[in-house]
Short mmCIF file of all heavy atoms in Angstrom, two decimals:
data_model
loop_
_atom_site.label_atom_id
_atom_site.label_comp_id
_atom_site.label_asym_id
_atom_site.label_seq_id
_atom_site.Cartn_x
_atom_site.Cartn_y
_atom_site.Cartn_z
N LEU K 119 103.97 103.24 108.89
CA LEU K 119 104.07 101.82 108.53
C LEU K 119 103.14 100.97 109.38
O LEU K 119 102.44 100.09 108.89
CB LEU K 119 105.52 101.36 108.72
CG LEU K 119 106.32 101.10 107.44
CD1 LEU K 119 105.97 102.09 106.35
CD2 LEU K 119 107.81 101.12 107.73
N GLU K 120 103.12 101.28 110.64
CA GLU K 120 102.30 100.50 111.55
C GLU K 120 100.82 100.64 111.18
O GLU K 120 100.09 99.66 111.05
CB GLU K 120 102.55 100.99 112.99
CG GLU K 120 101.96 100.12 114.07
CD GLU K 120 100.53 100.51 114.39
OE1 GLU K 120 100.15 101.69 114.12
OE2 GLU K 120 99.79 99.65 114.87
N ALA K 121 100.41 101.89 110.99
CA ALA K 121 99.01 102.13 110.64
C ALA K 121 98.65 101.47 109.32
O ALA K 121 97.56 100.91 109.15
CB ALA K 121 98.74 103.63 110.58
N ALA K 122 99.56 101.53 108.38
CA ALA K 122 99.30 100.98 107.05
C ALA K 122 99.05 99.47 107.13
O ALA K 122 98.06 98.97 106.59
CB ALA K 122 100.47 101.27 106.12
N THR K 123 99.94 98.78 107.83
CA THR K 123 99.74 97.33 107.92
C THR K 123 98.49 97.01 108.73
O THR K 123 97.75 96.10 108.38
CB THR K 123 100.95 96.64 108.58
OG1 THR K 123 101.19 97.24 109.86
CG2 THR K 123 102.20 96.78 107.73
N ARG K 124 98.24 97.81 109.74
CA ARG K 124 97.08 97.51 110.56
C ARG K 124 95.79 97.72 109.80
O ARG K 124 94.85 96.93 109.89
CB ARG K 124 97.08 98.38 111.82
CG ARG K 124 96.07 97.95 112.87
CD ARG K 124 96.50 98.43 114.25
NE ARG K 124 96.96 99.82 114.24
CZ ARG K 124 96.13 100.86 114.22
NH1 ARG K 124 94.84 100.68 114.23
NH2 ARG K 124 96.63 102.07 114.19
N LEU K 125 95.73 98.80 109.01
CA LEU K 125 94.52 99.07 108.24
C LEU K 125 94.54 98.35 106.89
O LEU K 125 93.62 98.47 106.09
CB LEU K 125 94.36 100.57 108.02
CG LEU K 125 94.31 101.42 109.30
CD1 LEU K 125 94.08 102.88 108.95
CD2 LEU K 125 93.22 100.92 110.23
N GLY K 126 95.60 97.65 106.61
CA GLY K 126 95.67 96.91 105.35
C GLY K 126 95.76 97.82 104.13
O GLY K 126 95.29 97.49 103.05
N TYR K 127 96.41 98.95 104.33
CA TYR K 127 96.54 99.85 103.17
C TYR K 127 97.69 99.43 102.27
O TYR K 127 98.79 99.17 102.73
CB TYR K 127 96.77 101.29 103.64
CG TYR K 127 97.16 102.19 102.50
CD1 TYR K 127 96.19 102.70 101.64
CD2 TYR K 127 98.49 102.50 102.27
CE1 TYR K 127 96.55 103.50 100.57
CE2 TYR K 127 98.86 103.29 101.20
CZ TYR K 127 97.88 103.79 100.35
OH TYR K 127 98.24 104.57 99.29
N VAL K 128 97.41 99.38 101.00
CA VAL K 128 98.45 99.18 99.99
C VAL K 128 98.15 100.18 98.88
O VAL K 128 97.00 100.37 98.50
CB VAL K 128 98.43 97.76 99.41
CG1 VAL K 128 99.54 97.60 98.41
CG2 VAL K 128 98.56 96.73 100.51
N ALA K 129 99.18 100.82 98.39
CA ALA K 129 98.98 101.86 97.37
C ALA K 129 98.25 101.31 96.17
O ALA K 129 98.55 100.22 95.69
CB ALA K 129 100.32 102.44 96.95
N ASN K 130 97.31 102.06 95.70
CA ASN K 130 96.57 101.67 94.51
C ASN K 130 97.49 101.58 93.30
O ASN K 130 98.28 102.48 93.01
CB ASN K 130 95.46 102.68 94.24
CG ASN K 130 94.74 102.42 92.95
OD1 ASN K 130 95.23 102.76 91.88
ND2 ASN K 130 93.58 101.80 93.04
N GLN K 131 97.34 100.48 92.61
CA GLN K 131 98.20 100.18 91.49
C GLN K 131 98.09 101.22 90.37
O GLN K 131 99.08 101.71 89.85
CB GLN K 131 97.85 98.80 90.94
CG GLN K 131 98.52 98.42 89.66
CD GLN K 131 100.00 98.15 89.87
OE1 GLN K 131 100.45 98.09 91.01
NE2 GLN K 131 100.72 98.00 88.80
N SER K 132 96.88 101.56 90.03
CA SER K 132 96.68 102.46 88.89
C SER K 132 97.25 103.84 89.17
O SER K 132 97.95 104.42 88.34
CB SER K 132 95.19 102.57 88.57
OG SER K 132 94.64 101.29 88.42
N GLY K 133 96.91 104.37 90.33
CA GLY K 133 97.39 105.69 90.68
C GLY K 133 98.90 105.75 90.69
O GLY K 133 99.53 106.62 90.09
N ARG K 134 99.44 104.77 91.32
CA ARG K 134 100.89 104.71 91.45
C ARG K 134 101.57 104.62 90.09
O ARG K 134 102.48 105.40 89.78
CB ARG K 134 101.25 103.49 92.29
CG ARG K 134 102.67 102.99 92.13
CD ARG K 134 102.88 101.75 92.96
NE ARG K 134 103.33 102.16 94.29
CZ ARG K 134 104.55 101.92 94.74
NH1 ARG K 134 105.44 101.32 93.98
NH2 ARG K 134 104.90 102.30 95.94
N SER K 135 101.13 103.71 89.28
CA SER K 135 101.85 103.52 88.03
C SER K 135 101.55 104.63 87.04
O SER K 135 102.34 104.92 86.16
CB SER K 135 101.55 102.14 87.44
OG SER K 135 100.18 101.97 87.24
N LEU K 136 100.41 105.25 87.21
CA LEU K 136 100.12 106.40 86.34
C LEU K 136 101.14 107.49 86.62
O LEU K 136 101.72 108.07 85.71
CB LEU K 136 98.71 106.93 86.62
CG LEU K 136 98.33 108.17 85.84
CD1 LEU K 136 98.47 107.92 84.34
CD2 LEU K 136 96.91 108.60 86.16
N ARG K 137 101.36 107.74 87.89
CA ARG K 137 102.30 108.79 88.25
C ARG K 137 103.75 108.41 87.92
O ARG K 137 104.50 109.18 87.35
CB ARG K 137 102.16 109.08 89.74
CG ARG K 137 103.27 109.89 90.33
CD ARG K 137 103.28 111.31 89.76
NE ARG K 137 104.65 111.75 89.56
CZ ARG K 137 105.10 112.95 89.92
NH1 ARG K 137 104.27 113.83 90.44
NH2 ARG K 137 106.34 113.26 89.72
N LYS K 138 104.10 107.18 88.29
CA LYS K 138 105.49 106.77 88.13
C LYS K 138 105.86 106.42 86.70
O LYS K 138 107.02 106.43 86.32
CB LYS K 138 105.81 105.58 89.03
CG LYS K 138 105.56 105.89 90.48
CD LYS K 138 106.28 105.06 91.49
CE LYS K 138 107.40 104.19 91.04
NZ LYS K 138 108.24 103.74 92.16
N GLY K 139 104.86 106.07 85.92
CA GLY K 139 105.16 105.68 84.54
C GLY K 139 105.62 104.25 84.42
O GLY K 139 105.99 103.79 83.34
N SER K 140 105.63 103.55 85.53
CA SER K 140 105.97 102.13 85.46
C SER K 140 105.05 101.36 86.39
O SER K 140 104.55 101.90 87.37
CB SER K 140 107.42 101.91 85.85
OG SER K 140 107.61 102.22 87.21
N THR K 141 104.86 100.11 86.08
CA THR K 141 103.83 99.37 86.80
C THR K 141 104.37 98.42 87.85
O THR K 141 103.63 98.01 88.73
CB THR K 141 103.02 98.51 85.81
OG1 THR K 141 103.90 97.55 85.22
CG2 THR K 141 102.43 99.38 84.71
N GLY K 142 105.62 98.04 87.71
CA GLY K 142 106.16 97.07 88.66
C GLY K 142 105.74 95.65 88.37
O GLY K 142 105.92 94.78 89.20
N VAL K 143 105.16 95.43 87.22
CA VAL K 143 104.84 94.04 86.88
C VAL K 143 105.59 93.60 85.63
O VAL K 143 105.80 94.37 84.70
CB VAL K 143 103.31 93.76 86.75
CG1 VAL K 143 102.49 94.83 87.40
CG2 VAL K 143 102.90 93.55 85.32
N ILE K 144 106.01 92.38 85.69
CA ILE K 144 106.70 91.75 84.57
C ILE K 144 105.75 90.72 83.99
O ILE K 144 105.16 89.94 84.73
CB ILE K 144 107.97 91.03 85.06
CG1 ILE K 144 108.85 91.96 85.89
CG2 ILE K 144 108.73 90.44 83.88
CD1 ILE K 144 109.43 93.11 85.13
N GLY K 145 105.60 90.74 82.70
CA GLY K 145 104.67 89.81 82.06
C GLY K 145 105.39 88.66 81.39
O GLY K 145 106.40 88.86 80.73
N PHE K 146 104.87 87.49 81.62
CA PHE K 146 105.40 86.32 80.92
C PHE K 146 104.34 85.89 79.93
O PHE K 146 103.28 85.40 80.31
CB PHE K 146 105.68 85.20 81.91
CG PHE K 146 106.54 84.08 81.37
CD1 PHE K 146 107.78 83.82 81.92
CD2 PHE K 146 106.11 83.31 80.30
CE1 PHE K 146 108.57 82.79 81.41
CE2 PHE K 146 106.89 82.29 79.79
CZ PHE K 146 108.13 82.03 80.35
N MET K 147 104.60 86.09 78.68
CA MET K 147 103.56 85.80 77.69
C MET K 147 103.54 84.32 77.34
O MET K 147 104.58 83.72 77.06
CB MET K 147 103.80 86.61 76.43
CG MET K 147 102.79 86.28 75.35
SD MET K 147 102.94 87.33 73.89
CE MET K 147 101.86 86.42 72.77
N MET K 148 102.36 83.75 77.36
CA MET K 148 102.25 82.36 76.95
C MET K 148 100.91 82.10 76.27
O MET K 148 99.92 82.76 76.55
CB MET K 148 102.45 81.43 78.14
CG MET K 148 101.59 81.74 79.32
SD MET K 148 102.18 80.90 80.80
CE MET K 148 102.39 79.26 80.18
N GLN K 149 100.92 81.16 75.38
CA GLN K 149 99.69 80.84 74.69
C GLN K 149 98.96 79.69 75.40
O GLN K 149 99.57 78.69 75.73
CB GLN K 149 100.00 80.45 73.25
CG GLN K 149 100.13 81.68 72.36
CD GLN K 149 101.35 81.63 71.47
OE1 GLN K 149 102.47 81.91 71.91
NE2 GLN K 149 101.14 81.28 70.22
N THR K 150 97.70 79.86 75.60
CA THR K 150 96.92 78.82 76.26
C THR K 150 96.41 77.81 75.24
O THR K 150 96.61 77.97 74.04
CB THR K 150 95.74 79.40 77.03
OG1 THR K 150 94.83 79.99 76.11
CG2 THR K 150 96.20 80.43 78.03
N GLY K 151 95.75 76.84 75.75
CA GLY K 151 95.27 75.76 74.88
C GLY K 151 96.05 74.52 75.18
O GLY K 151 97.18 74.58 75.65
#
Side-chain angles (χ1 to χ4, degrees):
Chain K
L119 252 36
E120 191 272 336
T123 56
R124 192 156 45 79
L125 303 183
Y127 170 80
V128 182
N130 174 281
Q131 172 71 9
S132 308
R134 160 183 271 249
S135 57
L136 177 57
R137 166 66 218 226
K138 302 202 13 164
S140 66
T141 63
V143 342
I144 308 295
F146 194 117
M147 177 175 169
M148 52 195 311
Q149 277 133 281
T150 65

